[in-house]
Amino acid sequence: MSVRTSHPVSSPPAVQKQPAIPNRTPELPAAVKSVSSLLSKRDYEGIIRRLHSAGRSPAIRNTLGVCLMRLGRKEEALSVFRQFVLSSNGFLERSEVSSACKRNFATALLVNGLVGGALDALNQSGDPDHPRAIELRTCLQDWERSLSWWRWLDWKINRIVAKDCQVPMNFEPGEFEFEVS
């Protein structure tokens, strides 16, 4: 007589659903989608006309700010970015704003000659290894190397730059949060 030990019979493992991977690109507002043909033609004036009163979402404001920078309307661009990137106290960047918007804010500061603010904004933007962040840092390093010894010292010690400061960029300012065809 043999003794049988009973082993619990296991059922096949249930198929588990994989959690949905969140979409990393936020859904673009219809106003931004509607200007895609204008973007492919680089009709920045047309885009500005359409987006000025299209809403206050970060995607709309970012697209508007980039177009303003690319047209050389740098003060207007800076105003647009300040309105949605900075918190209500005007000193800290909002955490919910994307790194691309924060880099664009740093770029707007830079094209307006506000080098110290641009460096601070770039440091707060997150994602320091992003290609655009690297390009901006390279522009700043090249600019530093171009300074006279006294100007460089004043910059390093006091963060003072000449009133007519220009940091040359070898790329088109600003980046969109979506692919432009």
Side-chain angles (χ1 to χ4, degrees):
M1 178 178 216
S2 68
V3 177
R4 287 178 112 180
T5 58
S6 68
H7 295 286
V9 177
S10 61
S11 58
V15 176
Q16 295 180 4
K17 284 186 172 182
Q18 293 293 325
I21 298 173
N23 186 358
R24 294 185 184 252
T25 306
E27 184 64 28
L28 292 175
V32 174
K33 289 179 184 176
S34 73
V35 297
S36 62
S37 65
L38 297 174
L39 276 172
S40 63
K41 296 175 195 170
R42 296 178 175 262
D43 180 7
Y44 299 130
E45 277 296 340
I47 296 166
I48 290 168
R49 279 192 302 276
R50 280 201 174 158
L51 295 183
H52 245 307
S53 60
R56 298 269 178 215
S57 78
I60 290 172
R61 304 316 285 170
N62 184 63
T63 305
L64 178 62
V66 170
C67 291
L68 287 166
M69 273 195 293
R70 291 185 177 184
L71 285 174
R73 294 165 59 180
K74 55 190 182 181
E75 295 87 7
E76 287 178 80
L78 182 55
S79 176
V80 167
F81 286 112
R82 276 190 175 136
Q83 290 171 10
F84 80 96
V85 172
L86 295 180
S87 63
S88 60
N89 68 13
F91 292 108
L92 300 174
E93 292 180 354
R94 294 180 188 196
S95 59
E96 70 273 10
V97 175
S98 72
S99 293
C101 293
K102 292 176 182 179
R103 283 189 301 274
N104 285 335
F105 176 53
T107 305
L109 288 164
L110 196 59
V111 298
N112 278 281
L114 303 169
V115 181
L119 188 58
D120 290 343
L122 188 58
N123 289 337
Q124 289 181 31
S125 70
D127 202 6
D129 295 328
H130 187 277
R132 182 50 56 103
I134 292 169
E135 286 177 325
L136 288 168
R137 287 186 198 288
T138 301
C139 288
L140 284 165
Q141 290 166 351
D142 292 345
W143 168 79
E144 280 184 356
R145 282 192 287 274
S146 74
L147 296 174
S148 68
W149 190 83
W150 285 110
R151 289 278 184 204
W152 178 86
L153 191 61
D154 213 13
W155 162 245
K156 287 299 184 179
I157 293 174
N158 303 314
R159 288 191 87 168
I160 295 176
V161 297
K163 189 172 184 134
D164 59 346
C165 172
Q166 295 288 322
V167 177
M169 288 187 210
N170 56 357
F171 52 87
E172 202 168 29
E175 61 183 292
F176 297 106
E177 293 185 285
F178 50 88
E179 288 295 319
V180 178
S181 54

PDB file of all heavy atoms in Angstrom, residues 38-69:
ATOM      1  N   LEU A  38       0.777  76.072 -40.847  1.00  0.00           N
ATOM      2  CA  LEU A  38       1.501  77.342 -40.793  1.00  0.00           C
ATOM      3  C   LEU A  38       2.920  77.133 -40.267  1.00  0.00           C
ATOM      4  O   LEU A  38       3.852  77.811 -40.707  1.00  0.00           O
ATOM      5  CB  LEU A  38       0.751  78.352 -39.922  1.00  0.00           C
ATOM      6  CG  LEU A  38      -0.634  78.777 -40.403  1.00  0.00           C
ATOM      7  CD1 LEU A  38      -1.318  79.661 -39.376  1.00  0.00           C
ATOM      8  CD2 LEU A  38      -0.536  79.488 -41.740  1.00  0.00           C
ATOM      9  N   LEU A  39       3.067  76.188 -39.337  1.00  0.00           N
ATOM     10  CA  LEU A  39       4.409  75.903 -38.814  1.00  0.00           C
ATOM     11  C   LEU A  39       5.305  75.326 -39.894  1.00  0.00           C
ATOM     12  O   LEU A  39       6.482  75.685 -39.981  1.00  0.00           O
ATOM     13  CB  LEU A  39       4.331  74.926 -37.637  1.00  0.00           C
ATOM     14  CG  LEU A  39       4.045  75.540 -36.286  1.00  0.00           C
ATOM     15  CD1 LEU A  39       3.804  74.456 -35.236  1.00  0.00           C
ATOM     16  CD2 LEU A  39       5.172  76.440 -35.845  1.00  0.00           C
ATOM     17  N   SER A  40       4.757  74.437 -40.703  1.00  0.00           N
ATOM     18  CA  SER A  40       5.587  73.848 -41.763  1.00  0.00           C
ATOM     19  C   SER A  40       6.024  74.902 -42.776  1.00  0.00           C
ATOM     20  O   SER A  40       7.061  74.772 -43.409  1.00  0.00           O
ATOM     21  CB  SER A  40       4.850  72.697 -42.449  1.00  0.00           C
ATOM     22  OG  SER A  40       3.689  73.163 -43.079  1.00  0.00           O
ATOM     23  N   LYS A  41       5.231  75.992 -42.908  1.00  0.00           N
ATOM     24  CA  LYS A  41       5.591  77.080 -43.813  1.00  0.00           C
ATOM     25  C   LYS A  41       6.400  78.164 -43.104  1.00  0.00           C
ATOM     26  O   LYS A  41       6.772  79.159 -43.729  1.00  0.00           O
ATOM     27  CB  LYS A  41       4.323  77.724 -44.381  1.00  0.00           C
ATOM     28  CG  LYS A  41       3.486  76.829 -45.228  1.00  0.00           C
ATOM     29  CD  LYS A  41       2.212  77.567 -45.626  1.00  0.00           C
ATOM     30  CE  LYS A  41       1.176  76.609 -46.160  1.00  0.00           C
ATOM     31  NZ  LYS A  41      -0.122  77.257 -46.316  1.00  0.00           N
ATOM     32  N   ARG A  42       6.600  78.001 -41.804  1.00  0.00           N
ATOM     33  CA  ARG A  42       7.291  78.997 -40.972  1.00  0.00           C
ATOM     34  C   ARG A  42       6.571  80.349 -41.003  1.00  0.00           C
ATOM     35  O   ARG A  42       7.198  81.401 -40.973  1.00  0.00           O
ATOM     36  CB  ARG A  42       8.753  79.153 -41.369  1.00  0.00           C
ATOM     37  CG  ARG A  42       9.559  77.900 -41.156  1.00  0.00           C
ATOM     38  CD  ARG A  42      10.978  78.088 -41.619  1.00  0.00           C
ATOM     39  NE  ARG A  42      11.782  76.933 -41.310  1.00  0.00           N
ATOM     40  CZ  ARG A  42      12.580  76.828 -40.271  1.00  0.00           C
ATOM     41  NH1 ARG A  42      12.707  77.800 -39.428  1.00  0.00           N
ATOM     42  NH2 ARG A  42      13.287  75.735 -40.066  1.00  0.00           N
ATOM     43  N   ASP A  43       5.256  80.284 -41.045  1.00  0.00           N
ATOM     44  CA  ASP A  43       4.439  81.500 -41.025  1.00  0.00           C
ATOM     45  C   ASP A  43       4.163  81.864 -39.562  1.00  0.00           C
ATOM     46  O   ASP A  43       3.061  81.685 -39.055  1.00  0.00           O
ATOM     47  CB  ASP A  43       3.135  81.277 -41.793  1.00  0.00           C
ATOM     48  CG  ASP A  43       2.244  82.510 -41.817  1.00  0.00           C
ATOM     49  OD1 ASP A  43       2.679  83.587 -41.358  1.00  0.00           O
ATOM     50  OD2 ASP A  43       1.096  82.385 -42.286  1.00  0.00           O
ATOM     51  N   TYR A  44       5.182  82.382 -38.901  1.00  0.00           N
ATOM     52  CA  TYR A  44       5.083  82.678 -37.474  1.00  0.00           C
ATOM     53  C   TYR A  44       4.090  83.803 -37.190  1.00  0.00           C
ATOM     54  O   TYR A  44       3.399  83.773 -36.172  1.00  0.00           O
ATOM     55  CB  TYR A  44       6.459  82.997 -36.902  1.00  0.00           C
ATOM     56  CG  TYR A  44       7.439  81.851 -37.042  1.00  0.00           C
ATOM     57  CD1 TYR A  44       8.703  82.058 -37.581  1.00  0.00           C
ATOM     58  CD2 TYR A  44       7.102  80.563 -36.651  1.00  0.00           C
ATOM     59  CE1 TYR A  44       9.599  81.000 -37.717  1.00  0.00           C
ATOM     60  CE2 TYR A  44       7.979  79.511 -36.791  1.00  0.00           C
ATOM     61  CZ  TYR A  44       9.233  79.734 -37.330  1.00  0.00           C
ATOM     62  OH  TYR A  44      10.109  78.684 -37.469  1.00  0.00           O
ATOM     63  N   GLU A  45       3.985  84.783 -38.077  1.00  0.00           N
ATOM     64  CA  GLU A  45       3.006  85.866 -37.894  1.00  0.00           C
ATOM     65  C   GLU A  45       1.587  85.304 -37.901  1.00  0.00           C
ATOM     66  O   GLU A  45       0.754  85.693 -37.072  1.00  0.00           O
ATOM     67  CB  GLU A  45       3.148  86.934 -38.983  1.00  0.00           C
ATOM     68  CG  GLU A  45       4.213  87.954 -38.740  1.00  0.00           C
ATOM     69  CD  GLU A  45       3.990  88.845 -37.528  1.00  0.00           C
ATOM     70  OE1 GLU A  45       2.849  88.982 -37.023  1.00  0.00           O
ATOM     71  OE2 GLU A  45       4.989  89.403 -37.059  1.00  0.00           O
ATOM     72  N   GLY A  46       1.301  84.413 -38.828  1.00  0.00           N
ATOM     73  CA  GLY A  46      -0.019  83.792 -38.889  1.00  0.00           C
ATOM     74  C   GLY A  46      -0.326  82.996 -37.640  1.00  0.00           C
ATOM     75  O   GLY A  46      -1.457  83.017 -37.131  1.00  0.00           O
ATOM     76  N   ILE A  47       0.666  82.297 -37.132  1.00  0.00           N
ATOM     77  CA  ILE A  47       0.483  81.511 -35.909  1.00  0.00           C
ATOM     78  C   ILE A  47       0.197  82.439 -34.730  1.00  0.00           C
ATOM     79  O   ILE A  47      -0.706  82.181 -33.927  1.00  0.00           O
ATOM     80  CB  ILE A  47       1.737  80.647 -35.635  1.00  0.00           C
ATOM     81  CG1 ILE A  47       1.911  79.626 -36.755  1.00  0.00           C
ATOM     82  CG2 ILE A  47       1.635  79.966 -34.277  1.00  0.00           C
ATOM     83  CD1 ILE A  47       3.248  78.951 -36.776  1.00  0.00           C
ATOM     84  N   ILE A  48       0.946  83.523 -34.640  1.00  0.00           N
ATOM     85  CA  ILE A  48       0.752  84.475 -33.539  1.00  0.00           C
ATOM     86  C   ILE A  48      -0.661  85.053 -33.583  1.00  0.00           C
ATOM     87  O   ILE A  48      -1.333  85.148 -32.551  1.00  0.00           O
ATOM     88  CB  ILE A  48       1.829  85.582 -33.596  1.00  0.00           C
ATOM     89  CG1 ILE A  48       3.187  84.991 -33.241  1.00  0.00           C
ATOM     90  CG2 ILE A  48       1.479  86.732 -32.665  1.00  0.00           C
ATOM     91  CD1 ILE A  48       4.360  85.902 -33.538  1.00  0.00           C
ATOM     92  N   ARG A  49      -1.130  85.411 -34.765  1.00  0.00           N
ATOM     93  CA  ARG A  49      -2.486  85.956 -34.901  1.00  0.00           C
ATOM     94  C   ARG A  49      -3.527  84.957 -34.403  1.00  0.00           C
ATOM     95  O   ARG A  49      -4.481  85.319 -33.729  1.00  0.00           O
ATOM     96  CB  ARG A  49      -2.778  86.336 -36.345  1.00  0.00           C
ATOM     97  CG  ARG A  49      -2.210  87.681 -36.758  1.00  0.00           C
ATOM     98  CD  ARG A  49      -2.757  88.152 -38.099  1.00  0.00           C
ATOM     99  NE  ARG A  49      -2.503  87.232 -39.202  1.00  0.00           N
ATOM    100  CZ  ARG A  49      -1.364  87.211 -39.906  1.00  0.00           C
ATOM    101  NH1 ARG A  49      -0.389  88.042 -39.631  1.00  0.00           N
ATOM    102  NH2 ARG A  49      -1.221  86.352 -40.899  1.00  0.00           N
ATOM    103  N   ARG A  50      -3.321  83.688 -34.720  1.00  0.00           N
ATOM    104  CA  ARG A  50      -4.289  82.662 -34.322  1.00  0.00           C
ATOM    105  C   ARG A  50      -4.208  82.329 -32.837  1.00  0.00           C
ATOM    106  O   ARG A  50      -5.223  82.049 -32.217  1.00  0.00           O
ATOM    107  CB  ARG A  50      -4.059  81.381 -35.113  1.00  0.00           C
ATOM    108  CG  ARG A  50      -4.639  81.433 -36.482  1.00  0.00           C
ATOM    109  CD  ARG A  50      -4.818  80.030 -36.967  1.00  0.00           C
ATOM    110  NE  ARG A  50      -5.512  80.025 -38.236  1.00  0.00           N
ATOM    111  CZ  ARG A  50      -5.431  79.017 -39.081  1.00  0.00           C
ATOM    112  NH1 ARG A  50      -4.705  77.964 -38.792  1.00  0.00           N
ATOM    113  NH2 ARG A  50      -6.099  79.063 -40.205  1.00  0.00           N
ATOM    114  N   LEU A  51      -3.004  82.321 -32.280  1.00  0.00           N
ATOM    115  CA  LEU A  51      -2.838  81.843 -30.904  1.00  0.00           C
ATOM    116  C   LEU A  51      -2.951  82.922 -29.833  1.00  0.00           C
ATOM    117  O   LEU A  51      -3.100  82.592 -28.667  1.00  0.00           O
ATOM    118  CB  LEU A  51      -1.495  81.118 -30.748  1.00  0.00           C
ATOM    119  CG  LEU A  51      -1.316  79.832 -31.539  1.00  0.00           C
ATOM    120  CD1 LEU A  51       0.017  79.194 -31.217  1.00  0.00           C
ATOM    121  CD2 LEU A  51      -2.457  78.862 -31.272  1.00  0.00           C
ATOM    122  N   HIS A  52      -2.872  84.185 -30.216  1.00  0.00           N
ATOM    123  CA  HIS A  52      -2.907  85.252 -29.207  1.00  0.00           C
ATOM    124  C   HIS A  52      -4.127  85.153 -28.302  1.00  0.00           C
ATOM    125  O   HIS A  52      -4.037  85.394 -27.102  1.00  0.00           O
ATOM    126  CB  HIS A  52      -2.840  86.627 -29.858  1.00  0.00           C
ATOM    127  CG  HIS A  52      -1.598  87.366 -29.498  1.00  0.00           C
ATOM    128  ND1 HIS A  52      -1.180  87.572 -28.204  1.00  0.00           N
ATOM    129  CD2 HIS A  52      -0.668  87.950 -30.273  1.00  0.00           C
ATOM    130  CE1 HIS A  52      -0.061  88.245 -28.196  1.00  0.00           C
ATOM    131  NE2 HIS A  52       0.287  88.487 -29.448  1.00  0.00           N
ATOM    132  N   SER A  53      -5.277  84.803 -28.854  1.00  0.00           N
ATOM    133  CA  SER A  53      -6.492  84.716 -28.047  1.00  0.00           C
ATOM    134  C   SER A  53      -7.046  83.293 -27.994  1.00  0.00           C
ATOM    135  O   SER A  53      -8.221  83.097 -27.734  1.00  0.00           O
ATOM    136  CB  SER A  53      -7.549  85.671 -28.606  1.00  0.00           C
ATOM    137  OG  SER A  53      -7.845  85.332 -29.936  1.00  0.00           O
ATOM    138  N   ALA A  54      -6.177  82.304 -28.213  1.00  0.00           N
ATOM    139  CA  ALA A  54      -6.630  80.914 -28.289  1.00  0.00           C
ATOM    140  C   ALA A  54      -6.719  80.223 -26.933  1.00  0.00           C
ATOM    141  O   ALA A  54      -7.212  79.117 -26.838  1.00  0.00           O
ATOM    142  CB  ALA A  54      -5.712  80.116 -29.200  1.00  0.00           C
ATOM    143  N   GLY A  55      -6.228  80.834 -25.889  1.00  0.00           N
ATOM    144  CA  GLY A  55      -6.288  80.201 -24.573  1.00  0.00           C
ATOM    145  C   GLY A  55      -4.989  80.352 -23.820  1.00  0.00           C
ATOM    146  O   GLY A  55      -4.022  80.939 -24.321  1.00  0.00           O
ATOM    147  N   ARG A  56      -4.980  79.831 -22.637  1.00  0.00           N
ATOM    148  CA  ARG A  56      -3.834  79.994 -21.739  1.00  0.00           C
ATOM    149  C   ARG A  56      -3.135  78.686 -21.407  1.00  0.00           C
ATOM    150  O   ARG A  56      -2.342  78.638 -20.483  1.00  0.00           O
ATOM    151  CB  ARG A  56      -4.294  80.650 -20.432  1.00  0.00           C
ATOM    152  CG  ARG A  56      -4.867  82.030 -20.623  1.00  0.00           C
ATOM    153  CD  ARG A  56      -3.785  83.030 -20.496  1.00  0.00           C
ATOM    154  NE  ARG A  56      -4.291  84.377 -20.720  1.00  0.00           N
ATOM    155  CZ  ARG A  56      -3.595  85.308 -21.307  1.00  0.00           C
ATOM    156  NH1 ARG A  56      -2.384  85.044 -21.733  1.00  0.00           N
ATOM    157  NH2 ARG A  56      -4.079  86.502 -21.475  1.00  0.00           N
ATOM    158  N   SER A  57      -3.398  77.629 -22.136  1.00  0.00           N
ATOM    159  CA  SER A  57      -2.735  76.363 -21.827  1.00  0.00           C
ATOM    160  C   SER A  57      -1.241  76.495 -22.108  1.00  0.00           C
ATOM    161  O   SER A  57      -0.826  77.263 -22.990  1.00  0.00           O
ATOM    162  CB  SER A  57      -3.322  75.219 -22.658  1.00  0.00           C
ATOM    163  OG  SER A  57      -2.823  75.255 -23.970  1.00  0.00           O
ATOM    164  N   PRO A  58      -0.413  75.763 -21.357  1.00  0.00           N
ATOM    165  CA  PRO A  58       1.035  75.846 -21.584  1.00  0.00           C
ATOM    166  C   PRO A  58       1.444  75.525 -23.023  1.00  0.00           C
ATOM    167  O   PRO A  58       2.361  76.150 -23.557  1.00  0.00           O
ATOM    168  CB  PRO A  58       1.607  74.817 -20.601  1.00  0.00           C
ATOM    169  CG  PRO A  58       0.617  74.800 -19.490  1.00  0.00           C
ATOM    170  CD  PRO A  58      -0.726  74.968 -20.166  1.00  0.00           C
ATOM    171  N   ALA A  59       0.759  74.588 -23.674  1.00  0.00           N
ATOM    172  CA  ALA A  59       1.118  74.236 -25.060  1.00  0.00           C
ATOM    173  C   ALA A  59       0.888  75.418 -26.000  1.00  0.00           C
ATOM    174  O   ALA A  59       1.708  75.695 -26.878  1.00  0.00           O
ATOM    175  CB  ALA A  59       0.319  73.022 -25.527  1.00  0.00           C
ATOM    176  N   ILE A  60      -0.222  76.123 -25.808  1.00  0.00           N
ATOM    177  CA  ILE A  60      -0.524  77.287 -26.641  1.00  0.00           C
ATOM    178  C   ILE A  60       0.464  78.403 -26.361  1.00  0.00           C
ATOM    179  O   ILE A  60       1.030  79.008 -27.273  1.00  0.00           O
ATOM    180  CB  ILE A  60      -1.975  77.768 -26.407  1.00  0.00           C
ATOM    181  CG1 ILE A  60      -2.962  76.749 -26.987  1.00  0.00           C
ATOM    182  CG2 ILE A  60      -2.203  79.147 -27.015  1.00  0.00           C
ATOM    183  CD1 ILE A  60      -4.414  77.020 -26.642  1.00  0.00           C
ATOM    184  N   ARG A  61       0.692  78.695 -25.077  1.00  0.00           N
ATOM    185  CA  ARG A  61       1.583  79.787 -24.700  1.00  0.00           C
ATOM    186  C   ARG A  61       3.019  79.494 -25.128  1.00  0.00           C
ATOM    187  O   ARG A  61       3.745  80.387 -25.560  1.00  0.00           O
ATOM    188  CB  ARG A  61       1.525  80.053 -23.195  1.00  0.00           C
ATOM    189  CG  ARG A  61       0.142  80.338 -22.643  1.00  0.00           C
ATOM    190  CD  ARG A  61      -0.714  81.280 -23.452  1.00  0.00           C
ATOM    191  NE  ARG A  61      -0.303  82.660 -23.322  1.00  0.00           N
ATOM    192  CZ  ARG A  61      -0.764  83.647 -24.055  1.00  0.00           C
ATOM    193  NH1 ARG A  61      -1.676  83.424 -24.965  1.00  0.00           N
ATOM    194  NH2 ARG A  61      -0.339  84.868 -23.902  1.00  0.00           N
ATOM    195  N   ASN A  62       3.450  78.233 -25.025  1.00  0.00           N
ATOM    196  CA  ASN A  62       4.801  77.868 -25.441  1.00  0.00           C
ATOM    197  C   ASN A  62       4.968  78.081 -26.948  1.00  0.00           C
ATOM    198  O   ASN A  62       5.944  78.673 -27.395  1.00  0.00           O
ATOM    199  CB  ASN A  62       5.109  76.417 -25.075  1.00  0.00           C
ATOM    200  CG  ASN A  62       6.528  76.039 -25.412  1.00  0.00           C
ATOM    201  OD1 ASN A  62       7.480  76.586 -24.874  1.00  0.00           O
ATOM    202  ND2 ASN A  62       6.691  75.096 -26.334  1.00  0.00           N
ATOM    203  N   THR A  63       4.007  77.617 -27.729  1.00  0.00           N
ATOM    204  CA  THR A  63       4.071  77.779 -29.179  1.00  0.00           C
ATOM    205  C   THR A  63       4.092  79.258 -29.544  1.00  0.00           C
ATOM    206  O   THR A  63       4.883  79.689 -30.397  1.00  0.00           O
ATOM    207  CB  THR A  63       2.874  77.065 -29.852  1.00  0.00           C
ATOM    208  OG1 THR A  63       2.855  75.691 -29.435  1.00  0.00           O
ATOM    209  CG2 THR A  63       2.964  77.137 -31.356  1.00  0.00           C
ATOM    210  N   LEU A  64       3.258  80.053 -28.889  1.00  0.00           N
ATOM    211  CA  LEU A  64       3.223  81.488 -29.123  1.00  0.00           C
ATOM    212  C   LEU A  64       4.568  82.132 -28.792  1.00  0.00           C
ATOM    213  O   LEU A  64       5.112  82.909 -29.576  1.00  0.00           O
ATOM    214  CB  LEU A  64       2.106  82.119 -28.285  1.00  0.00           C
ATOM    215  CG  LEU A  64       1.953  83.630 -28.357  1.00  0.00           C
ATOM    216  CD1 LEU A  64       1.610  84.074 -29.775  1.00  0.00           C
ATOM    217  CD2 LEU A  64       0.903  84.095 -27.362  1.00  0.00           C
ATOM    218  N   GLY A  65       5.145  81.783 -27.632  1.00  0.00           N
ATOM    219  CA  GLY A  65       6.422  82.355 -27.224  1.00  0.00           C
ATOM    220  C   GLY A  65       7.559  82.012 -28.172  1.00  0.00           C
ATOM    221  O   GLY A  65       8.392  82.860 -28.494  1.00  0.00           O
ATOM    222  N   VAL A  66       7.589  80.774 -28.639  1.00  0.00           N
ATOM    223  CA  VAL A  66       8.640  80.357 -29.577  1.00  0.00           C
ATOM    224  C   VAL A  66       8.518  81.148 -30.877  1.00  0.00           C
ATOM    225  O   VAL A  66       9.515  81.649 -31.414  1.00  0.00           O
ATOM    226  CB  VAL A  66       8.583  78.834 -29.842  1.00  0.00           C
ATOM    227  CG1 VAL A  66       9.496  78.435 -30.993  1.00  0.00           C
ATOM    228  CG2 VAL A  66       8.955  78.061 -28.586  1.00  0.00           C
ATOM    229  N   CYS A  67       7.291  81.296 -31.374  1.00  0.00           N
ATOM    230  CA  CYS A  67       7.097  82.053 -32.625  1.00  0.00           C
ATOM    231  C   CYS A  67       7.518  83.506 -32.453  1.00  0.00           C
ATOM    232  O   CYS A  67       8.140  84.090 -33.352  1.00  0.00           O
ATOM    233  CB  CYS A  67       5.646  81.963 -33.070  1.00  0.00           C
ATOM    234  SG  CYS A  67       5.180  80.313 -33.638  1.00  0.00           S
ATOM    235  N   LEU A  68       7.206  84.094 -31.311  1.00  0.00           N
ATOM    236  CA  LEU A  68       7.628  85.474 -31.045  1.00  0.00           C
ATOM    237  C   LEU A  68       9.153  85.587 -31.040  1.00  0.00           C
ATOM    238  O   LEU A  68       9.714  86.525 -31.614  1.00  0.00           O
ATOM    239  CB  LEU A  68       7.039  85.968 -29.720  1.00  0.00           C
ATOM    240  CG  LEU A  68       5.537  86.270 -29.728  1.00  0.00           C
ATOM    241  CD1 LEU A  68       5.007  86.403 -28.307  1.00  0.00           C
ATOM    242  CD2 LEU A  68       5.245  87.523 -30.538  1.00  0.00           C
ATOM    243  N   MET A  69       9.820  84.635 -30.393  1.00  0.00           N
ATOM    244  CA  MET A  69      11.297  84.665 -30.370  1.00  0.00           C
ATOM    245  C   MET A  69      11.866  84.545 -31.774  1.00  0.00           C
ATOM    246  O   MET A  69      12.803  85.249 -32.117  1.00  0.00           O
ATOM    247  CB  MET A  69      11.858  83.518 -29.507  1.00  0.00           C
ATOM    248  CG  MET A  69      11.981  83.849 -28.059  1.00  0.00           C
ATOM    249  SD  MET A  69      13.012  82.676 -27.151  1.00  0.00           S
ATOM    250  CE  MET A  69      12.056  81.178 -27.212  1.00  0.00           C
TER     251      MET A  69
END
